Amino acid sequence: MSSTEASTPPSQRGDRVFGALAKGAGITILVVLAGVALFLLVEAFPALTAPASELPDGKSLIAYVAPLAFGTLLSATLAILIAVPLALAVAIFISFYAPKRIAGTLGSIVDLLAAIPSVVYGLWGIVVLGPAIVPLHEWLADHLSFIPFFAGQASATGRTMLTVGLVLAVMILPIITAISREVFLQTPRKLTEAAYGLGATKWEMIRMTVIPFGRPALISASMLGLGRALGETMAVTMILSAAGVVSFKLLTATNPSSIAANIALQFPESSGIDVNVLIASGLVLFAITLVVNMTARWVIARSNLVNA
Amino acid sequence: MTAATAPGSGRTGTFSQAALPDWAMQVVMGGAVALAFIGIAFTDVSPALLVIVLAAVSAATIGIWAGTVEGRRKATDRLATMTMTYAFLLAVAPLVSLAWTVVSKGNGRLDLDFINHTMRNVIGEGGGAMHAIWGTVIITGVATIIAVPVGILTAIYLHEYGGTGRLKKAITFFVDVMTGIPSIVAGLFAFALFALFFGPGVRLGVMGSIALSVLMIPIVVRSTEEMLRIVPNGLRESAFALGVPKWRVITKVVLPTALAGIVTGVMLAIARVIGETAPLLVTVGTIDSLNFNPFEGRMQSLAVFTYFEYKTPGVPPEPSFDRAWAAALTLIIIVLVLTGIAKLVQRRFGVLQAR
């Protein structure tokens, strides 16, 4: 649209060089992304072909990665279940309930949650949040243990899947909130005014115009949040007391680890084939997040709502 | 739909409906929040329990009060208002708690000794994060040097040259995909790349920089593109009309106009990656002494320093924990300063207002 061609430029060489540079930079990005996939494949290859007996614990690669993938999905799902309703409510609050003058500031405050380094979240989860919700753990384990998720002996340190889910939810909240706010602002004014004109209360207006209008974007925002939660490393690494099991119990001291956390824990002390195995698990993580993100982008593109 | 069209209450026939006093919501919610603060600060009641009970009680108060005075629809509306407000407070609570914890635990150790001593030969108390601060600055600096030209040029290609071509579509799509790469995968990529040439034991500062630049590039592309989009087309076309070649138009007219916004974007990108731990953990490793050379040997960084001081404390552990918190505080201060400067640049020098 803006690439209006100058009809007879005095110096074509400069143009050609600069254009090629810009194009080259764009292609570099494609090459880098292909490189990520390729180099991970190359380094993972020895682990893919090695017999099970040479791999850690003598298990096959699939048996090694599966519990980790399970933990990754469990923690991320938990985070999404907590974060999406909360982020939606926060976005609605900032867009429609907060005084207009301070709405931008409130948005920046929520965005600050995304600026905090994950290692700090890890420390905070261990020292503050975990101990603070031990009573909640105990209460859930005492009264709701008939629900499989809350079965088992409650952890005394709070370093559980539930705590990790909460911390991840806090970390992905800003991205979901930011995208939701952007879409809410685009709700056609005639729809909202029409709702008010029919005598709707504010909440009825939001429920009948804003949320249906923004639904596709909300879904993709949640998926982007999911992608981030899947790949989040340090908070899980530090907070979770992981035992490499497959378990739906959220409150106990034996939890499944996640792919990313396992890499961060094992990598510094690994050598030989173990490194290749870890890289292979990283490849699995890459594939999972790639699918999630591409689906999210596809939903956005299809709904054609946001170009964010 | 039926809820909206149904009459709200039985009080028809007058133009004014009975309503709660204006202060009702403020007083009930304010009271609940105040009680929550008092309860958390001065009693031993579990904060989670306290918050749940207070939220339920205040919701019930407003629900029943508004329900009897104003009718069901208004009561629902008020409850929705309350839910959204509480949700916001709940979302901000971790930020407040986090800031309070890091500042109160970190400021004891964050002094001049901390920023001009390394951990070389330090056992127990003392020591500092000078090596980590330098490492963070150097690694992030090199990452910026790699990511910024690539990012800005790509944005220029996408917006000024790409037109509607297939390549443009592909790049746009994959930049979006790149935004979602987990940071640890970026680290593994840098490791795999260097391990192919230097063997599996290699740990270099520049490997971390490459990992971080993979995370930075999409952020820089996105923000720069956004800024180029709001440069008025009239500026470009007046320059073209004067016979200026396209690349001169871009470098002399378009980029200077968008500069403040681009700088803001770059600084936010730096703020975003400077606190990364995982990619540095697998590429740069950790070390106790100062290393200025990103092309040789391991380096320390603030985030990794924080992690290891906490994970492998000495005996007794307290000095290590104190250093971890001080490093975390340093990191947060750096991130906040960068974010603050970015916002300031945008406000002070931004010719263009984004939206």
Side-chain angles (χ1 to χ4, degrees):
Chain A
M1 42 178 182
S2 56
S3 53
T4 332
E5 291 298 331
S7 50
T8 48
S11 151
Q12 289 213 332
R13 192 189 299 157
D15 260 355
R16 225 175 291 148
V17 169
F18 193 75
L21 265 178
K23 194 171 183 174
I27 292 173
T28 306
I29 288 184
L30 299 183
V31 171
V32 165
L33 211 61
V36 171
L38 182 74
F39 288 121
L40 288 184
L41 264 177
V42 169
E43 282 294 309
F45 193 71
L48 300 178
T49 52
S53 55
E54 287 176 21
L55 298 180
D57 313 337
K59 287 190 289 189
S60 77
L61 192 63
I62 294 173
Y64 180 82
V65 176
L68 299 173
F70 170 81
T72 307
L73 292 173
L74 181 64
S75 60
T77 312
L78 198 60
I80 279 293
L81 289 179
I82 300 167
V84 168
L86 194 60
L88 191 59
V90 171
I92 291 176
F93 175 80
I94 296 176
S95 309
F96 299 103
Y97 288 96
K100 285 276 174 297
R101 258 180 320 113
I102 59 166
T105 313
L106 296 185
S108 308
I109 291 176
V110 174
D111 286 344
L112 273 185
L113 283 173
I116 308 284
S118 55
V119 66
V120 182
Y121 273 113
L123 285 183
W124 178 73
I126 296 174
V127 174
V128 180
L129 185 66
I133 61 171
V134 165
L136 180 71
H137 280 74
E138 283 164 355
W139 188 86
L140 288 172
D142 287 348
H143 296 86
L144 296 175
S145 57
F146 57 89
I147 303 172
F149 294 112
F150 301 140
Q153 173 73 37
S155 156
T157 56
R159 296 172 69 164
T160 61
M161 208 41 135
L162 182 66
T163 310
V164 167
L166 283 170
V167 173
L168 288 181
V170 173
M171 297 177 77
I172 62 176
L173 183 106
I175 184 174
I176 307 178
T177 305
I179 299 179
S180 307
R181 279 178 59 209
E182 193 147 322
V183 189
F184 289 165
L185 288 180
Q186 295 175 17
T187 313
R189 219 181 148 70
K190 56 183 178 189
L191 288 185
T192 59
E193 295 297 332
Y196 280 136
L198 290 169
T201 60
K202 192 177 226 173
W203 168 240
E204 285 161 353
M205 181 279 286
I206 292 170
R207 199 164 49 85
M208 290 187 301
T209 66
V210 173
I211 292 180
F213 177 80
R215 184 167 294 139
L218 294 179
I219 293 171
S220 57
S222 310
M223 296 194 66
L224 291 180
L226 179 64
R228 190 154 294 184
L230 287 168
E232 176 45 46
T233 312
M234 294 323 287
V236 187
T237 310
M238 295 171 77
I239 297 171
L240 201 62
S241 71
V245 293
V246 174
S247 156
F248 280 104
K249 296 171 186 163
L250 305 178
L251 307 175
T252 66
T254 45
N255 298 285
S257 188
S258 81
I259 295 179
N262 184 59
I263 296 172
L265 279 175
Q266 309 290 338
F267 202 93
E269 278 106 41
S270 290
S271 60
I273 190 86
D274 293 358
V275 171
N276 303 109
V277 170
L278 291 175
I279 290 180
S281 72
L283 197 62
V284 174
L285 177 65
F286 182 49
I288 296 175
T289 52
L290 210 59
V291 169
V292 169
N293 283 306
M294 281 165 78
T295 316
R297 294 293 170 188
W298 181 73
V299 173
I300 293 189
R302 212 177 49 127
S303 67
N304 214 358
L305 271 175
V306 238
N307 32 21
Chain B
M1 284 311 272
T2 48
T5 48
S9 69
R11 277 172 260 278
T12 46
T14 53
F15 287 113
S16 60
Q17 284 195 347
L20 298 193
D22 288 343
W23 45 261
M25 294 291 281
Q26 279 92 324
V27 167
V28 173
M29 288 198 292
V33 171
L35 279 179
F37 273 116
I38 293 170
I40 291 172
F42 298 110
T43 68
D44 288 338
V45 187
S46 151
L49 184 70
L50 192 71
V51 166
I52 293 170
V53 168
L54 282 171
V57 167
S58 55
T61 311
I62 280 292
I64 295 170
W65 190 8
T68 49
V69 177
E70 298 176 319
R72 195 173 55 78
R73 282 178 56 214
K74 280 282 178 59
T76 314
D77 187 48
R78 286 190 190 275
L79 284 181
T81 307
M82 190 174 244
T83 312
M84 305 308 160
T85 315
Y86 282 164
F88 178 76
L89 294 177
L90 192 62
V92 175
L95 190 66
V96 175
S97 160
L98 216 149
W100 170 251
T101 314
V102 176
V103 170
S104 61
K105 286 184 185 285
N107 74 357
R109 199 53 192 81
L110 186 56
D111 45 27
L112 227 69
D113 274 352
F114 187 72
I115 55 175
N116 62 22
H117 283 80
T118 70
M119 287 301 294
R120 197 181 169 92
N121 301 330
V122 173
I123 296 167
E125 283 185 41
M130 183 192 186
H131 56 318
I133 295 171
W134 274 108
T136 293
V137 168
I138 293 170
I139 294 169
T140 318
V142 175
T144 310
I145 293 171
I146 301 170
V148 167
V150 175
I152 292 182
L153 280 171
T154 303
I156 290 174
Y157 174 73
L158 290 179
H159 194 257
E160 309 287 330
Y161 285 94
T164 51
R166 284 237 301 274
L167 184 61
K168 177 187 169 171
K169 280 209 184 104
I171 294 174
T172 308
F173 181 76
F174 282 109
V175 166
D176 282 342
V177 168
M178 217 169 160
T179 320
I181 291 186
S183 58
I184 189 137
V185 171
L188 287 180
F189 157 66
F191 172 82
L193 176 66
F194 278 76
L196 277 185
F197 300 107
F198 300 99
V202 63
R203 297 284 190 282
L204 298 173
V206 70
M207 291 165 67
S209 303
I210 287 184
L212 294 187
S213 67
V214 170
L215 301 171
M216 275 181 86
I217 286 173
I219 311 179
V220 176
V221 174
R222 287 255 71 121
S223 59
T224 308
E225 221 189 332
E226 190 94 345
M227 287 305 129
L228 294 179
R229 197 171 290 145
I230 55 178
V231 173
N233 250 342
L235 283 182
R236 293 189 184 87
E237 296 187 348
S238 351
F240 285 138
L242 293 170
V244 184
K246 185 165 184 171
W247 73 282
R248 302 286 287 175
V249 174
I250 293 170
T251 51
K252 293 285 174 188
V253 178
V254 177
L255 284 183
T257 315
L259 189 65
I262 294 175
V263 171
T264 304
V266 168
M267 299 199 68
L268 289 178
I270 297 174
R272 162 88 176 67
V273 301
I274 205 165
E276 284 291 352
T277 317
L280 301 184
L281 202 60
V282 300
T283 54
V284 188
T286 176
I287 193 172
D288 282 343
S289 46
L290 195 54
N291 175 10
F292 286 110
N293 186 354
F295 298 99
E296 202 186 319
R298 295 164 179 253
M299 292 174 93
Q300 186 63 290
S301 58
L302 275 169
V304 175
F305 178 70
T306 308
Y307 173 62
F308 276 117
E309 283 299 302
Y310 204 87
K311 186 178 174 240
T312 53
V315 185
E318 280 73 25
S320 285
F321 291 167
D322 289 347
R323 283 193 292 265
W325 285 107
L329 181 57
T330 317
L331 202 52
I332 287 191
I333 291 174
I334 293 176
V335 170
L336 286 186
V337 166
L338 280 170
T339 315
I341 295 178
K343 293 267 153 85
L344 214 66
V345 168
Q346 192 175 28
R347 196 165 305 167
R348 181 82 175 69
F349 301 103
V351 186
L352 305 154
Q353 282 293 315
R355 254 161 305 191

Short mmCIF file of all heavy atoms in Angstrom, two decimals, chain A residues 70-86 133 137 140 149-150 160-170 172 176 225-226 229-230 236 240 247-251 255-256:
data_model
loop_
_atom_site.label_atom_id
_atom_site.label_comp_id
_atom_site.label_asym_id
_atom_site.label_seq_id
_atom_site.Cartn_x
_atom_site.Cartn_y
_atom_site.Cartn_z
N PHE A 70 3.12 -35.02 29.75
CA PHE A 70 1.91 -35.01 30.57
C PHE A 70 1.95 -33.87 31.59
O PHE A 70 1.01 -33.09 31.73
CB PHE A 70 1.75 -36.35 31.29
CG PHE A 70 0.66 -36.35 32.33
CD1 PHE A 70 -0.66 -36.52 31.97
CD2 PHE A 70 0.97 -36.16 33.67
CE1 PHE A 70 -1.66 -36.50 32.92
CE2 PHE A 70 -0.02 -36.14 34.62
CZ PHE A 70 -1.34 -36.31 34.25
N GLY A 71 3.08 -33.76 32.29
CA GLY A 71 3.22 -32.70 33.28
C GLY A 71 3.11 -31.32 32.66
O GLY A 71 2.49 -30.41 33.21
N THR A 72 3.73 -31.18 31.47
CA THR A 72 3.67 -29.90 30.77
C THR A 72 2.22 -29.53 30.47
O THR A 72 1.78 -28.41 30.75
CB THR A 72 4.44 -30.01 29.43
OG1 THR A 72 5.75 -30.50 29.71
CG2 THR A 72 4.54 -28.67 28.75
N LEU A 73 1.49 -30.49 29.91
CA LEU A 73 0.10 -30.22 29.54
C LEU A 73 -0.76 -29.97 30.78
O LEU A 73 -1.60 -29.07 30.79
CB LEU A 73 -0.47 -31.39 28.73
CG LEU A 73 0.15 -31.54 27.34
CD1 LEU A 73 -0.35 -32.82 26.67
CD2 LEU A 73 -0.17 -30.34 26.47
N LEU A 74 -0.51 -30.74 31.84
CA LEU A 74 -1.31 -30.58 33.05
C LEU A 74 -1.12 -29.19 33.65
O LEU A 74 -2.09 -28.48 33.95
CB LEU A 74 -0.94 -31.66 34.08
CG LEU A 74 -1.73 -31.62 35.39
CD1 LEU A 74 -3.21 -31.90 35.14
CD2 LEU A 74 -1.18 -32.63 36.40
N SER A 75 0.14 -28.78 33.80
CA SER A 75 0.38 -27.48 34.42
C SER A 75 -0.18 -26.36 33.56
O SER A 75 -0.78 -25.41 34.07
CB SER A 75 1.87 -27.27 34.68
OG SER A 75 2.60 -27.34 33.47
N ALA A 76 0.00 -26.48 32.24
CA ALA A 76 -0.47 -25.41 31.36
C ALA A 76 -2.00 -25.36 31.33
O ALA A 76 -2.59 -24.28 31.33
CB ALA A 76 0.07 -25.61 29.95
N THR A 77 -2.64 -26.53 31.33
CA THR A 77 -4.10 -26.55 31.34
C THR A 77 -4.64 -25.91 32.61
O THR A 77 -5.56 -25.09 32.58
CB THR A 77 -4.62 -28.00 31.26
OG1 THR A 77 -3.92 -28.66 30.20
CG2 THR A 77 -6.09 -28.04 30.99
N LEU A 78 -4.02 -26.28 33.72
CA LEU A 78 -4.42 -25.71 35.00
C LEU A 78 -4.29 -24.18 34.96
O LEU A 78 -5.19 -23.45 35.39
CB LEU A 78 -3.52 -26.29 36.09
CG LEU A 78 -3.98 -26.20 37.53
CD1 LEU A 78 -5.30 -26.91 37.68
CD2 LEU A 78 -2.93 -26.82 38.44
N ALA A 79 -3.16 -23.72 34.43
CA ALA A 79 -2.91 -22.28 34.36
C ALA A 79 -3.99 -21.60 33.52
O ALA A 79 -4.51 -20.54 33.88
CB ALA A 79 -1.53 -22.01 33.78
N ILE A 80 -4.33 -22.22 32.39
CA ILE A 80 -5.33 -21.63 31.50
C ILE A 80 -6.69 -21.58 32.19
O ILE A 80 -7.40 -20.57 32.12
CB ILE A 80 -5.40 -22.46 30.20
CG1 ILE A 80 -4.28 -22.05 29.27
CG2 ILE A 80 -6.73 -22.30 29.51
CD1 ILE A 80 -4.42 -20.65 28.75
N LEU A 81 -7.04 -22.67 32.88
CA LEU A 81 -8.35 -22.70 33.54
C LEU A 81 -8.47 -21.59 34.57
O LEU A 81 -9.53 -21.02 34.79
CB LEU A 81 -8.57 -24.06 34.23
CG LEU A 81 -8.80 -25.24 33.28
CD1 LEU A 81 -8.98 -26.52 34.06
CD2 LEU A 81 -10.02 -24.97 32.41
N ILE A 82 -7.34 -21.28 35.24
CA ILE A 82 -7.38 -20.21 36.23
C ILE A 82 -7.29 -18.85 35.56
O ILE A 82 -8.01 -17.92 35.92
CB ILE A 82 -6.22 -20.38 37.23
CG1 ILE A 82 -6.33 -21.72 37.94
CG2 ILE A 82 -6.21 -19.23 38.24
CD1 ILE A 82 -5.09 -22.11 38.70
N ALA A 83 -6.43 -18.74 34.55
CA ALA A 83 -6.11 -17.42 34.02
C ALA A 83 -7.20 -16.86 33.12
O ALA A 83 -7.46 -15.66 33.17
CB ALA A 83 -4.79 -17.47 33.25
N VAL A 84 -7.84 -17.70 32.31
CA VAL A 84 -8.77 -17.15 31.32
C VAL A 84 -9.95 -16.40 31.94
O VAL A 84 -10.18 -15.23 31.58
CB VAL A 84 -9.24 -18.25 30.34
CG1 VAL A 84 -10.41 -17.77 29.52
CG2 VAL A 84 -8.09 -18.66 29.45
N PRO A 85 -10.68 -17.01 32.90
CA PRO A 85 -11.78 -16.24 33.47
C PRO A 85 -11.30 -14.96 34.16
O PRO A 85 -11.89 -13.90 34.00
CB PRO A 85 -12.39 -17.20 34.51
CG PRO A 85 -11.80 -18.53 34.25
CD PRO A 85 -10.55 -18.35 33.48
N LEU A 86 -10.18 -15.10 34.86
CA LEU A 86 -9.65 -13.94 35.58
C LEU A 86 -9.23 -12.83 34.61
O LEU A 86 -9.56 -11.66 34.79
CB LEU A 86 -8.45 -14.39 36.44
CG LEU A 86 -7.98 -13.40 37.48
CD1 LEU A 86 -9.09 -13.09 38.46
CD2 LEU A 86 -6.77 -13.94 38.24
N ILE A 133 -0.54 -20.88 50.70
CA ILE A 133 -1.73 -21.64 50.35
C ILE A 133 -1.67 -23.09 50.83
O ILE A 133 -2.46 -23.92 50.40
CB ILE A 133 -2.05 -21.57 48.84
CG1 ILE A 133 -0.92 -22.15 48.01
CG2 ILE A 133 -2.36 -20.16 48.39
CD1 ILE A 133 -1.30 -22.31 46.55
N HIS A 137 -4.48 -26.03 50.53
CA HIS A 137 -4.19 -27.41 50.14
C HIS A 137 -4.82 -28.39 51.13
O HIS A 137 -5.48 -29.34 50.75
CB HIS A 137 -2.67 -27.65 50.11
CG HIS A 137 -1.99 -27.15 48.90
ND1 HIS A 137 -1.76 -25.83 48.67
CD2 HIS A 137 -1.45 -27.80 47.84
CE1 HIS A 137 -1.11 -25.69 47.52
NE2 HIS A 137 -0.92 -26.87 46.99
N LEU A 140 -8.63 -28.46 50.95
CA LEU A 140 -9.10 -29.19 49.76
C LEU A 140 -8.89 -30.69 49.94
O LEU A 140 -9.77 -31.49 49.62
CB LEU A 140 -8.35 -28.71 48.51
CG LEU A 140 -8.72 -27.32 47.99
CD1 LEU A 140 -7.77 -26.90 46.88
CD2 LEU A 140 -10.15 -27.30 47.48
N PHE A 149 -8.56 -34.97 41.59
CA PHE A 149 -7.50 -33.96 41.56
C PHE A 149 -7.01 -33.59 42.96
O PHE A 149 -5.89 -33.17 43.16
CB PHE A 149 -7.99 -32.70 40.86
CG PHE A 149 -8.27 -32.89 39.41
CD1 PHE A 149 -9.56 -32.84 38.92
CD2 PHE A 149 -7.23 -33.16 38.53
CE1 PHE A 149 -9.81 -33.03 37.57
CE2 PHE A 149 -7.47 -33.35 37.19
CZ PHE A 149 -8.77 -33.30 36.71
N PHE A 150 -7.90 -33.71 43.93
CA PHE A 150 -7.55 -33.27 45.28
C PHE A 150 -7.24 -34.45 46.22
O PHE A 150 -7.17 -34.29 47.42
CB PHE A 150 -8.68 -32.43 45.88
CG PHE A 150 -9.00 -31.21 45.06
CD1 PHE A 150 -10.30 -30.80 44.86
CD2 PHE A 150 -7.97 -30.49 44.48
CE1 PHE A 150 -10.58 -29.68 44.09
CE2 PHE A 150 -8.24 -29.37 43.71
CZ PHE A 150 -9.55 -28.96 43.51
N THR A 160 3.53 -27.58 44.91
CA THR A 160 2.70 -28.57 44.22
C THR A 160 2.29 -28.07 42.84
O THR A 160 2.56 -26.94 42.46
CB THR A 160 1.41 -28.80 45.01
OG1 THR A 160 0.72 -27.55 45.07
CG2 THR A 160 1.71 -29.27 46.42
N MET A 161 1.62 -28.96 42.12
CA MET A 161 1.09 -28.62 40.81
C MET A 161 0.13 -27.44 40.91
O MET A 161 0.11 -26.57 40.04
CB MET A 161 0.37 -29.86 40.28
CG MET A 161 0.34 -29.98 38.78
SD MET A 161 1.86 -29.52 38.01
CE MET A 161 2.14 -30.76 36.85
N LEU A 162 -0.67 -27.41 41.97
CA LEU A 162 -1.65 -26.32 42.11
C LEU A 162 -0.94 -24.97 42.21
O LEU A 162 -1.32 -24.00 41.54
CB LEU A 162 -2.50 -26.56 43.37
CG LEU A 162 -3.59 -25.51 43.62
CD1 LEU A 162 -4.64 -25.56 42.53
CD2 LEU A 162 -4.24 -25.71 44.98
N THR A 163 0.11 -24.91 43.03
CA THR A 163 0.86 -23.66 43.16
C THR A 163 1.47 -23.25 41.83
O THR A 163 1.42 -22.08 41.43
CB THR A 163 1.97 -23.82 44.22
OG1 THR A 163 1.40 -24.37 45.40
CG2 THR A 163 2.61 -22.49 44.52
N VAL A 164 2.05 -24.25 41.13
CA VAL A 164 2.64 -23.96 39.82
C VAL A 164 1.57 -23.42 38.87
O VAL A 164 1.79 -22.43 38.16
CB VAL A 164 3.29 -25.23 39.24
CG1 VAL A 164 3.61 -25.04 37.77
CG2 VAL A 164 4.54 -25.57 40.01
N GLY A 165 0.39 -24.06 38.89
CA GLY A 165 -0.69 -23.59 38.02
C GLY A 165 -1.05 -22.15 38.32
O GLY A 165 -1.25 -21.34 37.41
N LEU A 166 -1.10 -21.81 39.62
CA LEU A 166 -1.44 -20.43 40.00
C LEU A 166 -0.37 -19.45 39.51
O LEU A 166 -0.69 -18.40 38.95
CB LEU A 166 -1.58 -20.34 41.52
CG LEU A 166 -2.87 -20.90 42.11
CD1 LEU A 166 -2.77 -20.97 43.63
CD2 LEU A 166 -4.04 -20.01 41.71
N VAL A 167 0.90 -19.81 39.70
CA VAL A 167 1.97 -18.90 39.30
C VAL A 167 1.97 -18.74 37.77
O VAL A 167 2.07 -17.62 37.26
CB VAL A 167 3.34 -19.40 39.79
CG1 VAL A 167 4.45 -18.55 39.22
CG2 VAL A 167 3.40 -19.35 41.30
N LEU A 168 1.81 -19.84 37.06
CA LEU A 168 1.76 -19.75 35.60
C LEU A 168 0.57 -18.89 35.17
O LEU A 168 0.67 -18.11 34.23
CB LEU A 168 1.63 -21.14 34.98
CG LEU A 168 2.87 -22.04 35.04
CD1 LEU A 168 2.58 -23.37 34.36
CD2 LEU A 168 4.05 -21.37 34.37
N ALA A 169 -0.55 -19.04 35.88
CA ALA A 169 -1.74 -18.25 35.54
C ALA A 169 -1.43 -16.77 35.68
O ALA A 169 -1.79 -15.96 34.81
CB ALA A 169 -2.91 -18.64 36.45
N VAL A 170 -0.74 -16.40 36.76
CA VAL A 170 -0.37 -14.99 36.94
C VAL A 170 0.53 -14.53 35.80
O VAL A 170 0.40 -13.42 35.29
CB VAL A 170 0.33 -14.79 38.30
CG1 VAL A 170 0.86 -13.37 38.41
CG2 VAL A 170 -0.61 -15.10 39.43
N ILE A 172 0.71 -15.64 32.67
CA ILE A 172 0.10 -15.52 31.34
C ILE A 172 -1.10 -14.58 31.33
O ILE A 172 -1.62 -14.25 30.27
CB ILE A 172 -0.32 -16.89 30.77
CG1 ILE A 172 -1.36 -17.54 31.65
CG2 ILE A 172 0.88 -17.77 30.58
CD1 ILE A 172 -1.88 -18.84 31.09
N ILE A 176 -3.24 -12.39 27.90
CA ILE A 176 -4.65 -12.60 27.59
C ILE A 176 -5.43 -11.30 27.81
O ILE A 176 -6.26 -10.91 27.01
CB ILE A 176 -5.23 -13.75 28.44
CG1 ILE A 176 -4.37 -15.00 28.28
CG2 ILE A 176 -6.67 -14.04 28.05
CD1 ILE A 176 -4.84 -16.17 29.11
N GLY A 225 -1.76 -17.69 25.38
CA GLY A 225 -1.40 -17.85 26.79
C GLY A 225 -0.99 -19.28 27.08
O GLY A 225 -0.01 -19.54 27.78
N LEU A 226 -1.75 -20.22 26.50
CA LEU A 226 -1.43 -21.63 26.68
C LEU A 226 -0.02 -21.93 26.16
O LEU A 226 0.77 -22.61 26.82
CB LEU A 226 -2.46 -22.48 25.93
CG LEU A 226 -2.28 -23.99 25.96
CD1 LEU A 226 -2.43 -24.50 27.38
CD2 LEU A 226 -3.26 -24.69 25.04
N ALA A 229 2.44 -20.76 28.63
CA ALA A 229 2.47 -21.60 29.84
C ALA A 229 3.18 -22.93 29.56
O ALA A 229 3.89 -23.44 30.42
CB ALA A 229 1.05 -21.85 30.33
N LEU A 230 3.00 -23.46 28.36
CA LEU A 230 3.64 -24.72 28.02
C LEU A 230 5.16 -24.60 28.06
O LEU A 230 5.87 -25.51 28.47
CB LEU A 230 3.22 -25.16 26.61
CG LEU A 230 1.82 -25.68 26.42
CD1 LEU A 230 1.49 -25.79 24.95
CD2 LEU A 230 1.66 -27.03 27.10
N VAL A 236 8.32 -23.38 36.99
CA VAL A 236 8.05 -24.79 37.23
C VAL A 236 9.28 -25.46 37.84
O VAL A 236 9.19 -26.20 38.82
CB VAL A 236 7.64 -25.50 35.92
CG1 VAL A 236 7.19 -26.91 36.21
CG2 VAL A 236 6.57 -24.73 35.20
N LEU A 240 8.13 -26.58 41.65
CA LEU A 240 7.57 -27.92 41.72
C LEU A 240 8.55 -28.90 42.37
O LEU A 240 9.72 -28.93 42.04
CB LEU A 240 7.26 -28.38 40.29
CG LEU A 240 6.25 -29.51 40.14
CD1 LEU A 240 4.91 -29.08 40.70
CD2 LEU A 240 6.12 -29.88 38.68
N SER A 247 0.54 -38.28 37.36
CA SER A 247 -0.45 -38.23 38.42
C SER A 247 -1.30 -36.98 38.25
O SER A 247 -0.80 -35.90 37.94
CB SER A 247 0.26 -38.20 39.78
OG SER A 247 -0.58 -37.63 40.74
N PHE A 248 -2.61 -37.17 38.43
CA PHE A 248 -3.51 -36.03 38.34
C PHE A 248 -3.65 -35.32 39.67
O PHE A 248 -4.33 -34.32 39.77
CB PHE A 248 -4.90 -36.49 37.87
CG PHE A 248 -4.98 -36.70 36.39
CD1 PHE A 248 -4.99 -37.98 35.85
CD2 PHE A 248 -5.04 -35.62 35.53
CE1 PHE A 248 -5.06 -38.17 34.48
CE2 PHE A 248 -5.11 -35.80 34.16
CZ PHE A 248 -5.12 -37.09 33.63
N LYS A 249 -3.03 -35.85 40.71
CA LYS A 249 -3.19 -35.25 42.04
C LYS A 249 -2.44 -33.93 42.10
O LYS A 249 -1.23 -33.88 41.88
CB LYS A 249 -2.67 -36.20 43.11
CG LYS A 249 -3.46 -37.49 43.17
CD LYS A 249 -2.78 -38.49 44.09
CE LYS A 249 -3.48 -39.83 44.03
NZ LYS A 249 -2.63 -40.90 44.57
N LEU A 250 -3.16 -32.86 42.41
CA LEU A 250 -2.57 -31.53 42.34
C LEU A 250 -1.95 -31.07 43.65
O LEU A 250 -1.24 -30.09 43.69
CB LEU A 250 -3.64 -30.51 41.93
CG LEU A 250 -4.40 -30.80 40.63
CD1 LEU A 250 -5.44 -29.72 40.39
CD2 LEU A 250 -3.44 -30.88 39.46
N LEU A 251 -2.24 -31.81 44.73
CA LEU A 251 -1.88 -31.27 46.04
C LEU A 251 -0.72 -31.99 46.72
O LEU A 251 -0.29 -31.59 47.79
CB LEU A 251 -3.09 -31.34 46.98
CG LEU A 251 -4.38 -30.71 46.47
CD1 LEU A 251 -5.52 -30.96 47.44
CD2 LEU A 251 -4.20 -29.22 46.28
N ASN A 255 4.98 -34.86 42.12
CA ASN A 255 4.31 -34.29 40.95
C ASN A 255 5.03 -34.69 39.67
O ASN A 255 6.23 -34.95 39.69
CB ASN A 255 4.32 -32.77 41.04
CG ASN A 255 3.57 -32.27 42.25
OD1 ASN A 255 2.36 -32.28 42.27
ND2 ASN A 255 4.32 -31.87 43.27
N PRO A 256 4.30 -34.72 38.56
CA PRO A 256 4.97 -34.91 37.28
C PRO A 256 5.79 -33.65 36.97
O PRO A 256 5.36 -32.55 37.28
CB PRO A 256 3.82 -35.09 36.29
CG PRO A 256 2.63 -34.52 36.95
CD PRO A 256 2.84 -34.62 38.42
#
